[in-house]
Amino acid sequence: MTRTARSWVTVPTGEERCRPLYARVLGLRFVNPGGVLCFLFFEGAVALALLLALAELVSWWAVPMLPAVVAAMVKLNDLVAEVVIRTAAQVPEQERDRFRRQMEPVVGRARVPSAGERWPDRRGEPFR
């Protein structure tokens, strides 16, 4: 019996070249940031670290450390997304169906009395 290998990569191989350098360097597989977001992640972190260092709020070692910390958080987010997707894929189909049944809204009809009819009270008798 042969098993087919599943590929969990969400970005097709042909599109890998078109991804931003930041995403390719970090090896992101599940988080797919665009060009603007990659710019903000890297160049924004460098600019923020420079401004903080120039204002003497942090020392100069923060200039290379802040982009590295941001990159580590983005990679951690990618790893968490991978775990969530793989765990969700392992849920048996029976459990998924049971969950869907529980979440379906119930649609029914309510009895509306006619103009001359009165609403019954709790005992089933009409109000007087």
Side-chain angles (χ1 to χ4, degrees), residues 1 5 24 26-27 44 48 66 74 86 93 109 118 127:
M1 177 165 41
R24 284 185 283 157
L26 289 178
L48 178 64
L66 185 60
V74 171
R86 286 187 185 204
E93 189 65 31
R109 293 185 174 205
R118 294 183 177 256
F127 290 124

Side-chain angles (χ1 to χ4, degrees), residues 111-119:
R111 186 181 160 282
V112 178
S114 62
E117 189 180 1
R118 294 183 177 256
W119 286 95

Side-chain angles (χ1 to χ4, degrees), residues 45-46 48-50 52-53 57-69:
V46 170
L48 178 64
L50 281 172
L52 290 173
L57 295 174
V58 295
S59 63
W60 284 98
W61 61 265
V63 175
M65 288 304 296
L66 185 60
V69 169

Side-chain angles (χ1 to χ4, degrees), residues 90-98 100:
Q90 293 174 353
V91 174
E93 189 65 31
Q94 178 184 10
E95 293 295 321
R96 288 187 221 160
D97 290 340
R98 186 173 64 106
R100 287 187 192 116

Side-chain angles (χ1 to χ4, degrees), residues 3-22:
R3 295 179 66 189
T4 59
R6 288 187 177 178
S7 174
W8 294 99
V9 180
T10 58
V11 180
T13 308
E15 295 178 12
E16 181 68 25
R17 295 178 309 153
C18 300
R19 294 180 72 198
L21 179 65
Y22 188 78

Side-chain angles (χ1 to χ4, degrees), residues 16-103:
E16 181 68 25
R17 295 178 309 153
C18 300
R19 294 180 72 198
L21 179 65
Y22 188 78
R24 284 185 283 157
V25 167
L26 289 178
L28 301 179
R29 295 174 20 189
F30 294 90
V31 176
N32 193 13
V36 174
L37 198 55
C38 287
F39 176 82
L40 289 176
F41 283 154
F42 185 68
E43 282 85 354
V46 170
L48 178 64
L50 281 172
L51 286 174
L52 290 173
L54 287 172
E56 296 182 357
L57 295 174
V58 295
S59 63
W60 284 98
W61 61 265
V63 175
M65 288 304 296
L66 185 60
V69 169
V70 170
M73 294 304 293
V74 171
K75 184 62 179 176
L76 179 67
N77 191 0
D78 187 60
L79 294 175
V80 168
E82 178 181 5
V83 170
V84 168
I85 289 172
R86 286 187 185 204
T87 304
Q90 293 174 353
V91 174
E93 189 65 31
Q94 178 184 10
E95 293 295 321
R96 288 187 221 160
D97 290 340
R98 186 173 64 106
F99 179 72
R100 287 187 192 116
R101 279 193 307 268
Q102 289 175 352
M103 298 306 292

